[in-house]
Amino acid sequence: MKNIIPTLLLVIICTDVFAYSKYWVKFTDKNGTPYSTSNPSAFLSPQSIQRRTNQGIAVTWYDLPVNPSYINQVLATGAVTFNYSSRWLNAISITTTDAAALTAISGLSFVISTSPVQRFENPVSGREKPNDEEIFSNENLREGAPQQVVLNYNYGISYNQVHQINVDCMHSAGYNGAGVVIAVLDDGFMNVNTIGAFDSLRTDNRILGTYDFVAGVTNVYGVGGHGTMCLSDMAANIPGQMIGTAPKASYYLLRTEEAATEYIIEEDNWVAGAEYADSVGANIISTSLYYTQFDDASQNHTYADMNGRTSACAIAAVFTARVGMLTFACAGNSGTSAWYYVGTPADADSILAVGAVDASGTLANFSSRGPSSDGRIKPDISACGVNAIVVNTSGNVTAASGTSFATPLSAGGAACLWQANPSYTNMQLRHAIQMSSSQWAAPDNNKGYGIPDYCLSNIILNANTNETEENIFSIYPNPNNGEMIFSLANSTEHGVIEIYDATGKLVQTINVNAGEKNIPVNEEGLGEGIYFVRVKNGETILLSQRFAIVK
């Protein structure tokens, strides 16, 4: 499936896209289309269809490509350049300076609207960049830091950032992203085809496909160092120096960003890249791009636009969740600027926007804050983005700062988690990641739910919770200082309560007698931290919960 390209999706413009003349043309329907939901193989890969099948997601009207006849009729109105189509938005992006053509397009019976590119109405009711500044430095590179060896991985100086989100625990358990497909949307992947850090990717043929949505070509290796560094946080494999969080995952490398300029065409490219990732069957999207303001001020977003349903790329990001992908988007680096808030597509619902912390877990001052303009917690989670260890375009291990690097670190952890739990849905993984995070009990708009613990996420998913009205378990207070009560309603049979620490170690077992409801907990051996509780009846796990001790 390396070469599957949805019909009409990748016809990228090669003319001057930066004139003030770009429009979304939104259509009323897909009537008369040659495509059908009963034959999805005509526009989706077997992997994409299987991802939907695995999660019980039907192929719907939104998956159908835009009606080719509608596109042709729009182009026939005059001097109109076709950029590309979006099946999720049921729209096409065009460039025209022909006022008569634009009037004619608006008059077509199947056209709802012709809108400037910086605004787009969400087609579905309800909800579910290296742009500002990336800081590159060798000053704080931790040369001479003790090398950490966990089973087969010698992380070198990348150990801290991997361990901070407990992905080394997943690696130790045998999960390294194998079999999981990650699409990376960035500014290019210079020298990834030659750098030694990625030699195992090339040897194993785990670069499944590439496409440059800016230039309309397949080669992504001649431009863009930002994407190279972001990829390294997942895929690098240099024993003793740097190991990424998903060194055995497979990747699609998609260039959607023109780093030298900032125009809203890049959001359009992002939509195309996300739909491509869906069509080829990616499981996860990692994108370290965000958009707020542009070189052409008339295209600028406002904070009010950061509601997850205004920008085209935010709407597309929500669709990635609806078709079963798990999308990670950088929150942005605007925390010290006048903008301050997260950019788009990080504002989208049902994805994971990632903020930045330092090695000690302290919030990076540059990390963009929430909430979204409609009041949702943003970012969702946070990871190392201050002096993160990366591989640059020369193949050297160095340090860089930005939410851009926290994002792939987190996405790679999710690949390990999905490898360990292939039967779970993207939303179940998303919830488990949030639930495992350090601020789950009290999320805020600085670090969101906090720093995730992927090994704890794995425990949460493996608990196979089955909570019912007849069997309700609660912990109070939560968080607590070590003194707490477990309350179990209607315990009609003898059972066991098991308490696990954040590493998955069983630290306490409590026998529960039939009819016993309020069970005091012995705080001995329970220090400050995150714990996970399972209630069992024999070998059957009845339910599970999580609590925090803060002393």
Side-chain angles (χ1 to χ4, degrees), residues 407-492:
T407 300
L409 287 169
S410 304
C416 300
L417 186 64
W418 220 336
Q419 178 193 3
N421 301 276
S423 64
Y424 283 85
T425 69
N426 60 339
M427 288 296 98
Q428 288 172 318
L429 263 71
R430 178 178 181 267
H431 181 66
I433 292 167
Q434 290 176 320
M435 191 175 178
S436 78
S437 297
S438 57
Q439 297 186 165
W440 167 252
D444 60 32
N445 287 302
N446 297 319
K447 293 193 283 188
Y449 289 92
I451 300 167
D453 180 331
Y454 280 95
C455 213
L456 181 57
S457 300
N458 189 42
I459 296 170
I460 291 169
L461 291 173
N462 278 289
N464 196 21
T465 302
N466 182 23
E467 188 170 341
T468 65
E469 290 184 359
E470 294 76 29
N471 196 3
I472 299 176
F473 177 72
S474 61
I475 304 167
Y476 60 92
N478 186 15
N480 59 73
N481 63 1
E483 297 180 3
M484 72 199 93
I485 298 290
F486 291 168
S487 179
L488 182 63
N490 301 324
S491 54
T492 59

Side-chain angles (χ1 to χ4, degrees), residues 7-234:
T7 302
L8 296 175
L9 179 60
L10 302 185
V11 184
I12 307 296
I13 59 172
C14 298
T15 56
D16 181 9
V17 299
F18 304 129
Y20 310 149
S21 52
K22 284 191 76 266
Y23 296 88
W24 281 104
V25 180
K26 183 180 178 184
F27 300 130
T28 58
D29 56 59
K30 296 180 180 179
N31 296 343
T33 178
Y35 303 101
S36 168
T37 57
S38 62
N39 184 28
S41 60
F43 49 91
L44 297 175
S45 70
Q47 294 89 339
S48 180
I49 296 168
Q50 189 62 53
R51 186 189 63 238
R52 289 165 165 78
T53 301
N54 290 347
Q55 300 183 58
I57 298 171
V59 176
T60 71
W61 180 91
Y62 291 103
D63 294 309
L64 297 176
V66 172
N67 188 336
S69 174
Y70 290 175
I71 298 175
N72 291 335
Q73 290 181 66
V74 168
L75 298 181
T77 59
V80 178
T81 301
F82 173 72
N83 301 336
Y84 66 85
S85 63
S86 169
R87 50 193 167 88
W88 290 339
L89 306 181
N90 193 26
I92 62 173
S93 171
I94 65 168
T95 300
T96 184
T97 56
D98 186 340
L102 196 60
T103 300
I105 292 168
S106 299
L108 294 172
S109 63
F110 50 82
V111 170
I112 292 178
S113 62
T114 55
S115 305
V117 290
Q118 62 263 42
R119 299 290 182 272
F120 201 97
E121 181 184 354
N122 191 341
V124 183
S125 60
R127 287 203 309 270
E128 171 19 343
K129 145 137 191 156
N131 299 10
D132 290 341
E133 181 179 12
E134 299 294 356
I135 309 152
F136 306 108
S137 170
N138 288 313
E139 292 180 5
N140 297 309
L141 193 60
R142 293 178 289 278
E143 297 289 357
Q147 295 183 344
Q148 303 290 334
V149 180
V150 181
L151 289 184
N152 294 325
Y153 289 127
N154 188 335
Y155 296 95
I157 57 174
S158 67
Y159 172 75
N160 288 342
Q161 64 193 30
V162 177
H163 178 67
Q164 186 178 57
I165 54 178
N166 217 8
V167 174
D168 54 316
C169 172
M170 295 298 292
H171 292 171
S172 295
Y175 304 112
N176 49 20
V180 179
V181 179
I182 303 174
V184 189
L185 278 61
D186 216 290
D187 74 337
F189 303 88
M190 183 178 287
N191 297 337
V192 166
N193 57 332
T194 59
I195 291 173
F198 304 111
D199 55 3
S200 61
L201 269 185
R202 300 189 299 269
T203 300
D204 298 342
N205 295 315
R206 288 185 286 108
I207 298 178
L208 303 183
T210 62
Y211 199 82
D212 183 335
F213 290 84
V214 178
V217 298
T218 58
N219 183 2
V220 297
Y221 301 126
V223 64
H226 187 265
T228 300
M229 292 187 291
C230 290
L231 177 65
S232 72
D233 277 328
M234 295 178 282

